[in-house]
Amino acid sequence: MNFSKKQNVKRLALAGIAIALASTINAQTPEDKGLEIAKAAEQADLGFNSSTVELKMTLKNKNGQTSERSLTTKTLELTEDGDKSLIVFNSPKDVKGTSTLTFTHKEGPDDQWLYLPSIKRVKRISSNNKSGPFVGSEFAYEDLSSQEVEKYSYKFIEEKDGLLIVEQDPVDPKSGYTRRLVSYNKDKGYRIEKVEFYDRKNALLKTLTYLDYKLYKGKFWRASVFNMVNHQSNKETRLDFNDYNFDVNLTEDDFNQVSLKRAGN
């Protein structure tokens, strides 16, 4: 075989590989693509270790009347299982000291506890109550869990206005949702811009919008505002976050029932 023939054979072989790769990419199912996007989002946020943040919660009822609460949130990143978080209410007086501890799990139901300072007692949140409102807000207890890939099945829906829309169906049969539609910003570290929640009757229940993102440590995107609108009750809950602190070096000792009680006193 002469040199020119060898080149032609090589070109044909490379062309065949390119066609095979293109076919593989084109053959990617919506489920595979949805899972791939969720994994990319998870990967983009790995490595923050722990953080604390102060925030203001504004509750708006269906008549437009508002009330405010101040909170502190601590988060511990775990890679072998889901993250741990501790939320403490600082004001007003009627909720001051109320605290919630969440152990998110990649598989199986999450563990959650609520400390009520008025009775100085820790109450475990049962799996049947995860869809209930978190301290009178439009956030449910299950909304407090970290975004673990294993908690959902996925289906890519479409790309719209630069956002990747992925349907996520909860694996937990006791979830209050049949599905969520999540909008990822692929150009900004796959950060989430919006989540639409559908109830057990598959009707649109709530929309959570993430606003005013800031980039921390050159890698970690965090929204300064979470705005949750309940379309069925016409109520809203807005969370305004102050600057995150990623230099607190929290450990698992900061996330147990002892620390839960201590935070509330």
Side-chain angles (χ1 to χ4, degrees), residues 166-203:
V166 177
E167 179 179 306
Q168 301 182 350
D169 297 351
V171 173
D172 185 356
K174 294 182 179 178
S175 170
Y177 312 119
T178 53
R179 60 191 177 106
R180 314 188 319 168
L181 286 181
V182 182
S183 300
Y184 293 91
N185 190 327
K186 64 177 181 178
D187 297 325
K188 298 291 185 181
Y190 288 90
R191 72 189 193 192
I192 296 176
E193 303 287 351
K194 184 174 71 172
V195 181
E196 295 178 336
F197 301 83
Y198 289 78
D199 66 15
R200 298 303 301 175
K201 295 180 180 179
N202 203 26

Side-chain angles (χ1 to χ4, degrees), residues 32-124:
D32 289 340
K33 187 170 183 178
L35 177 59
E36 183 182 87
I37 292 166
K39 286 183 175 179
E42 181 180 64
Q43 187 67 35
D45 199 53
L46 285 179
F48 70 87
N49 297 320
S50 63
S51 67
T52 63
V53 64
E54 304 291 324
L55 61 146
K56 178 178 70 175
M57 174 186 284
T58 303
L59 307 175
K60 182 188 289 185
N61 66 21
K62 62 182 179 180
N63 298 318
Q65 298 168 318
T66 62
S67 59
E68 294 182 356
R69 299 169 175 177
S70 66
L71 307 82
T72 301
T73 296
K74 299 179 179 180
T75 305
L76 179 69
E77 179 185 43
L78 296 173
T79 54
E80 66 276 10
D81 201 0
D83 296 348
K84 295 183 177 182
S85 66
L86 177 63
I87 300 173
V88 183
F89 283 83
N90 303 316
S91 69
K93 189 175 181 180
D94 61 336
V95 295
K96 183 178 180 179
T98 301
S99 310
T100 303
L101 179 66
T102 300
F103 290 3
T104 305
H105 300 302
K106 292 180 182 293
E107 297 180 2
D110 299 334
D111 292 310
Q112 289 182 302
W113 298 268
L114 177 68
Y115 176 69
L116 299 170
S118 59
I119 58 175
K120 298 187 180 300
R121 179 168 169 253
V122 174
K123 175 184 177 184
R124 188 180 182 89

Side-chain angles (χ1 to χ4, degrees), residues 57-59 137-139 226-228 235-239:
M57 174 186 284
T58 303
L59 307 175
S137 73
E138 297 313 304
F139 289 85
F226 288 11
N227 195 56
M228 182 76 88
K235 296 179 180 179
E236 292 184 33
T237 298
R238 175 182 168 116
L239 303 179

